[in-house]
Amino acid sequence: MLKLYQFEACPYCEKVRLLLDYQQRPYEKVDVTPGWGQWELWQKSGQTQVPVLQDGDELIPDSTAIALYLDATCTDRPLLPTAPEQRGLCFALEDWADTALIPNGRTVTLAALVQHPNFRLAALPETTPDWAKAMVGAWPGELASLLSSSLGIVRPAPVKSAHLALQQALQALCLMLEQQAYLLGEQPTLADFAVAGASMMLKVPESQYVNLPAGLCDRGIPGLADDVNYQPFFDWRDRLYKDYRQPRDGIE
Ligand SMILES: N[C@@H](CCC(=O)N[C@@H](CS)C(=O)NCC(=O)O)C(=O)O
């Protein structure tokens, strides 16, 4: 059976899980422990990043290389269009998802987390007295932003430009999907699964496909996940999940 070395919350891994489910290929997930597990992964694969797919003795790191491998080894459900122009567009959209949507998504997610009272509380040592926890829980988000910015954790200017870039991206995606079922026409391709996987950070899918706390389902970044202008994109994304993604282990 195929093995996927992964982090559950990694959008590149989510792209690969979507591709495997679309092709209906059974696989076993191997959760890599950050740090020590990555050292073990380096010994196996010569690099430390996830996802890595194992097929027998063959180890394939990198989500794009994995997509090419899956496309070459399952002819019933191709991931890449055959016409050169469409194929080129498919690679370009996948690369946009990997190099723009995911890094911008990470930036805005980190900023939203830092401002969230639960996250601030979780970051405190266990020995923190209750009165101090109550004070931290009551901090306004603006104060958390100011503190995290002065500590260099998140800075307002890059967060603002990542947010703007994501608004423009969601607008572009809504336009692309207005007249057709998928980004490149009437069949799903790698481009759709790359974009859908990347969007996991902007708004968690409505059902529990990904092994994250259930309370996060259908929740996301304020100003992106809850803006009605981008609803057609998230409706499309949730439909793609319903049609092709398998529910996570143990969940009906
Ligand atoms: N180009 C890679 C990027 C993968 C990547 O950035 N993975 C992150 C997790 S989301 C990772 O393994 N980070 C750990 C590290 O860089 O050490 C791909 O498409 O698979």
Side-chain angles (χ1 to χ4, degrees), residues 17-93:
R17 293 186 297 250
L18 277 159
L19 295 174
L20 287 162
D21 281 354
Y22 172 64
Q23 290 194 329
Q24 298 175 335
R25 292 166 87 147
Y27 66 99
E28 181 193 334
K29 289 196 279 193
V30 181
D31 284 315
V32 173
T33 311
W36 174 247
Q38 287 175 269
W39 160 247
E40 289 177 334
L41 193 64
W42 179 76
Q43 288 176 308
K44 265 181 186 296
S45 70
Q47 56 85 62
T48 55
Q49 291 196 322
V50 290
V52 175
L53 186 74
Q54 181 166 14
D55 188 2
D57 290 338
E58 193 151 7
L59 280 158
I60 307 121
D62 187 84
S63 61
T64 307
I66 295 171
L68 294 177
Y69 180 81
L70 293 176
D71 184 64
T73 52
C74 170
T75 43
D76 314 351
R77 287 205 157 187
L79 304 173
L80 296 168
T82 43
E85 188 198 328
Q86 293 277 302
R87 204 171 168 92
L89 274 173
C90 184
F91 283 130
L93 280 172

Side-chain angles (χ1 to χ4, degrees), residues 75-146:
T75 43
D76 314 351
R77 287 205 157 187
L79 304 173
L80 296 168
T82 43
E85 188 198 328
Q86 293 277 302
R87 204 171 168 92
L89 274 173
C90 184
F91 283 130
L93 280 172
E94 191 223 11
D95 192 53
W96 176 63
D98 286 2
T99 58
L101 298 184
I102 293 180
N104 286 330
R106 274 189 183 143
T107 302
V108 295
T109 306
L110 182 62
L113 277 175
V114 161
Q115 287 168 30
H116 198 279
N118 289 349
F119 182 78
R120 281 180 260 146
L121 288 170
L124 293 175
E126 273 180 28
T127 48
T128 309
D130 285 347
W131 62 265
K133 284 188 190 157
M135 269 181 71
V136 170
W139 278 357
E142 293 78 12
L143 193 60
S145 290
L146 191 69

Side-chain angles (χ1 to χ4, degrees), residues 112-184:
L113 277 175
V114 161
Q115 287 168 30
H116 198 279
N118 289 349
F119 182 78
R120 281 180 260 146
L121 288 170
L124 293 175
E126 273 180 28
T127 48
T128 309
D130 285 347
W131 62 265
K133 284 188 190 157
M135 269 181 71
V136 170
W139 278 357
E142 293 78 12
L143 193 60
S145 290
L146 191 69
L147 189 69
S148 57
S149 159
S150 53
L151 292 174
I153 300 166
V154 288
R155 298 202 176 273
V159 173
K160 200 170 163 200
S161 69
H163 201 274
L164 184 65
L166 287 167
Q167 285 177 316
Q168 288 165 344
L170 289 170
Q171 203 178 352
L173 286 162
C174 288
L175 288 170
M176 280 187 251
L177 291 164
E178 214 174 272
Q179 306 284 338
Q180 54 191 17
Y182 299 101
L183 291 170
L184 293 171

